[in-house]
Amino acid sequence: MTNLHKMAEPKFIQRQKRGVRITITVLLMFIVAVLVGFVHKLSQPRILSDSELRINGAVKLQRARILDNFQLIADTGSAFETKNMKGQWTFIFFGFTHCPDVCPTTLSSLNSFYKLLDEDIRADTDVILVSVDPARDKPLILHDYVRYFNNDFLGVTGNFIEIKRFASQLNVPFNKVILDNNDYTMDHGSQVVLINPLGHYHAFFRAPLDPAKMKLTYRSIRATFNG
């Protein structure tokens, strides 16, 4: 009996060891699955309610607004129309190159926001400065000004009436203000407008811009878009 017990013992121990290995493997696979799920969840955009969006500086329209066609000029010299905004998300800010403070600050914030975006999101996100001072902001001047902030940004100028009509559709006011020295400046709205991939007015972001909050709200808006 003793000799038989000694012969059977190694097999019993082997089964125990194999059972321990299987248990450890299963536990490790479970831990990895939990970690993968956690990382995946972190990578997914947080869906914000309309009130949460507003708290974080973004206002989404209840119904996206279809825009009338317009004919402007990109800072590359090519035509820029409503159809040029289809197929990607477009951030639009109305400003001008002689702007002393609001425009540089806004473009700097947009640059910081743009750099925070994941590469795949950045790939279908455009940022455009539309000049409210086309008399001075010719395409080449606008090109150099906008590229100073980010090489991927685009400037748009054109006929004053066309720009005014476009801005009115986006509820962005601007007016020429005569200064004491007979020079002039432009008074304009500071909000940043968001156009969805259908080319429709979808939302806007209030000043002052917070790049981190913009990223949070933008990801939520994209995730809830049913285009």
Side-chain angles (χ1 to χ4, degrees):
M1 293 293 292
T2 303
N3 291 334
L4 289 174
H5 177 70
K6 288 182 178 179
M7 293 176 62
E9 186 173 299
K11 293 183 178 180
F12 174 73
I13 293 174
Q14 288 177 5
R15 285 197 298 271
Q16 278 189 323
K17 289 181 177 179
R18 187 163 54 248
V20 170
R21 285 197 296 269
I22 292 173
T23 301
I24 292 174
T25 300
V26 171
L27 285 174
L28 287 175
M29 290 176 64
F30 175 75
I31 291 171
V32 169
V34 170
L35 288 174
V36 169
F38 179 70
V39 171
H40 177 72
K41 185 176 181 180
L42 285 178
S43 68
Q44 297 304 301
R46 177 185 166 196
I47 305 302
L48 304 176
S49 65
D50 287 350
S51 60
E52 288 176 317
L53 288 172
R54 286 192 292 271
I55 290 172
N56 286 282
V59 179
K60 186 172 70 173
L61 275 62
Q62 291 300 313
R63 179 178 298 177
R65 182 180 301 171
I66 299 175
L67 302 175
D68 294 334
N69 191 39
F70 56 83
Q71 295 183 338
L72 298 173
I73 303 171
D75 61 18
T76 57
S78 60
F80 187 85
E81 305 176 20
T82 308
K83 64 182 180 181
N84 294 106
M85 298 189 295
K86 293 183 178 180
Q88 69 279 330
W89 292 88
T90 306
F91 287 85
I92 295 179
F93 174 65
F94 287 82
F96 62 115
T97 61
H98 284 70
C99 182
D101 42 34
V102 174
C103 300
T105 299
T106 300
L107 287 169
S108 293
S109 296
L110 286 171
N111 175 55
S112 297
F113 154 72
Y114 189 75
K115 289 181 176 180
L116 287 176
L117 299 176
D118 296 334
E119 189 174 345
D120 59 329
I121 295 179
R122 198 184 309 140
D124 69 349
T125 300
D126 290 340
V127 178
I128 297 175
L129 170 67
V130 178
S131 174
V132 296
D133 186 15
R136 293 185 291 197
D137 291 343
K138 302 306 180 184
L140 182 58
I141 294 174
L142 195 58
H143 177 280
D144 293 344
Y145 179 79
V146 172
R147 297 310 186 285
Y148 171 79
F149 295 94
N150 191 298
N151 283 328
D152 291 335
F153 290 4
L154 178 70
V156 170
T157 184
N159 178 275
F160 183 86
I161 299 301
E162 282 288 288
I163 294 173
K164 191 77 171 178
R165 191 164 67 86
F166 179 38
S168 295
Q169 293 186 73
L170 302 176
N171 298 327
V172 179
F174 68 88
N175 292 288
K176 187 175 182 178
V177 179
I178 304 300
L179 303 175
D180 293 337
N181 59 0
N182 291 325
D183 196 1
Y184 72 91
T185 187
M186 302 299 296
D187 185 22
H188 60 92
S190 59
Q191 67 266 44
V192 173
V193 172
L194 179 61
I195 307 297
N196 67 34
L198 296 177
H200 301 163
Y201 176 20
H202 196 88
F204 67 89
F205 297 79
R206 297 190 301 260
L209 303 179
D210 181 316
K213 289 182 178 179
M214 279 192 74
K215 178 184 178 181
L216 175 69
T217 53
Y218 178 44
R219 280 164 56 88
S220 176
I221 290 171
R222 286 175 61 107
T224 56
F225 174 64
N226 297 313

